[in-house]
Amino acid sequence: MDNAATTYPKPENVYTAVDYFNRSLGGNPGRGSNQATLKAGSILVDAREALARLFNIKDSEQIAFTANITESLNIALKGFLHSGDHVISTSMEHNAVARPLYSLSQRGVEWTTVPCAGDGSLDPEDIRKAIKPNTRMACMLHASNLTGTIMPIAQVGKICRENGLIFVVDSAQSAGILPLDVVEQNIDILAFTGHKGLLGLQGTGGIYVAPGVEIKPLKEGGTGSFSEHLEHPEFMPDRLESGTPNTPGIVGLLAGVEFILQTGLGNIRRHEQEITAMLLNGLREIKGTKLYGPGDSSRQTAVIAFNIDDMDCGELSMQLDYRYGIVTRSGLHCAPLAHKVIGTLESGACRLSPGYFTTGAEVETVIRAIHDLTKKIGGQ
């Protein structure tokens, strides 16, 4: 029940693809002209093209691979914003957005946080109202890692396009689960991670940068291209990629995206909605349970934050793990701004986040365990 942290299990083709690469190929892409290197390079090309199909990206070379989405967001924010610029985000952001923006705000970048409602939802018109003459960017999440709240990125993207702003989307909790279309949603920069909804391995991620958007690299170094020059390459994806990539991880990412494309995004979303509705309905029947967020599977991803009476959320999570073998996550979830919105900054919350491979029977087991635990606690 902790797929919002990292999906588990992975599709079987992810395991087999990574194992095959490590045992039978093992080349370093762009570092030489031997067969193993060329095959490794072709895997990166295939992965970019698969991601481009998933996100409706016209030119797959506008996708650069990174170590994780946090690195992608740092590239987007620190590589574009300068002192005197104004940037808009929301009060539901993860620290992967909030901390870089706070750092930039200490160096002359003006930062506005648009408040969200108590369930984490956003009125896109509040973004429009926050625009100033020096506003250059809006950066926001697609879905909350705390409440699962789905944000109106299409509407915000339209507002950004009408006002000449760069629109950055953090898709950590939505890629591979919700539709993402950089054209229809007017996304200029899309940051994604490989190990959550895209069903790949940890330590993988990437960034899409629309043609014409100039991003300063976070690092320079070897790219396997134009090695005779000291200047770092200006073209994508080399501009934002330097050093040996996590090729085994990208192999797994490719396999995960292929699984999603074959299964169908609609089928994945439909299943996750069904099990989320089961969890919400079951938790509502348990005395003393407080739910946060929309409480509606059509308005949220498969992420549910809850508390039980005055029980410490860390104790609740630990008891579910040690007594019942149910993995959850408690605390502040690297999202203190979001916890402030829903009123749990002091207490934290326990989070359930099932995934595509979670079964109805497992959800029923979780509901029974929480019910059983509350009776035991209440009787002590």
Side-chain angles (χ1 to χ4, degrees), residues 212-227:
V213 177
E214 293 295 325
I215 297 288
K216 182 181 178 181
L218 199 64
K219 58 185 179 181
E220 292 92 11
T223 59
S225 59
F226 292 95
S227 297

Side-chain angles (χ1 to χ4, degrees), residues 12-295:
E12 187 61 29
N13 68 313
V14 172
Y15 299 125
T16 56
V18 174
D19 186 63
Y20 175 76
F21 175 82
N22 284 329
R23 293 179 186 275
S24 304
L25 294 178
N28 190 341
R31 275 66 177 177
S33 57
N34 58 77
Q35 292 185 59
T37 291
L38 295 175
K39 288 178 181 178
S42 70
I43 289 168
L44 267 62
V45 172
D46 291 344
R48 287 188 227 278
E49 291 180 349
L51 288 160
R53 289 196 299 276
L54 185 63
F55 301 140
N56 193 27
I57 293 169
K58 303 304 182 187
D59 182 0
S60 65
E61 291 192 352
Q62 293 298 124
I63 301 170
F65 291 114
T66 62
N68 45 55
I69 194 169
T70 299
E71 182 176 319
S72 300
L73 289 164
N74 272 265
I75 291 170
L77 299 171
K78 296 177 180 177
F80 184 84
L81 295 168
H82 301 89
S83 179
D85 292 342
H86 176 234
V87 57
I88 302 167
S89 70
T90 80
S91 62
M92 288 296 289
E93 302 304 324
H94 187 277
N95 275 345
V97 167
R99 283 181 169 173
L101 287 180
Y102 175 78
S103 176
L104 286 166
S105 74
Q106 304 304 296
R107 291 180 274 161
V109 172
E110 189 180 358
W111 174 29
T112 295
T113 301
V114 173
C116 295
D119 63 357
S121 60
L122 171 75
D123 181 348
E125 286 303 311
D126 288 339
I127 298 290
R128 190 191 301 275
K129 293 172 185 176
I131 297 173
K132 300 180 178 184
N134 63 330
T135 307
R136 296 196 68 208
M137 173 186 285
C139 177
M140 64 178 290
L141 72 170
H142 189 187
S144 170
N145 75 313
L146 174 61
T147 60
T149 309
I150 299 171
M151 296 299 195
I153 61 167
Q155 294 94 315
V156 174
K158 186 172 183 289
I159 291 169
C160 288
R161 188 54 46 89
E162 291 170 349
N163 290 272
L165 309 184
I166 296 298
F167 185 38
V168 181
V169 172
D170 167 6
S171 71
Q173 296 294 328
S174 63
I177 298 167
L178 302 176
L180 276 161
D181 187 318
V182 300
V183 177
E184 291 295 321
Q185 295 163 332
N186 290 300
I187 299 171
D188 297 294
I189 302 176
L190 178 67
F192 60 89
T193 190
H195 71 107
K196 298 188 182 187
L198 294 180
L199 304 174
L201 305 187
Q202 296 174 29
T204 59
I207 181 171
Y208 159 74
V209 181
V213 177
E214 293 295 325
I215 297 288
K216 182 181 178 181
L218 199 64
K219 58 185 179 181
E220 292 92 11
T223 59
S225 59
F226 292 95
S227 297
E228 67 275 17
H229 299 296
L230 288 177
E231 294 86 2
H232 194 76
E234 292 290 324
F235 56 86
M236 288 285 287
D238 299 44
R239 180 175 176 80
L240 300 182
E241 290 182 352
S242 59
T244 295
N246 177 8
T247 312
I250 295 170
V251 168
L253 174 57
L254 169 59
V257 174
E258 288 177 337
F259 177 88
I260 292 164
L261 292 170
Q262 291 165 7
T263 304
L265 205 62
N267 292 325
I268 292 171
R269 172 65 176 149
R270 191 175 304 110
H271 175 74
E272 293 201 0
Q273 276 190 265
E274 289 172 358
I275 56 177
T276 300
M278 285 182 63
L279 268 174
L280 288 169
N281 292 334
L283 290 172
R284 287 192 185 100
E285 297 298 316
I286 301 174
K287 185 179 179 181
T289 300
K290 181 172 177 56
L291 295 168
Y292 306 95

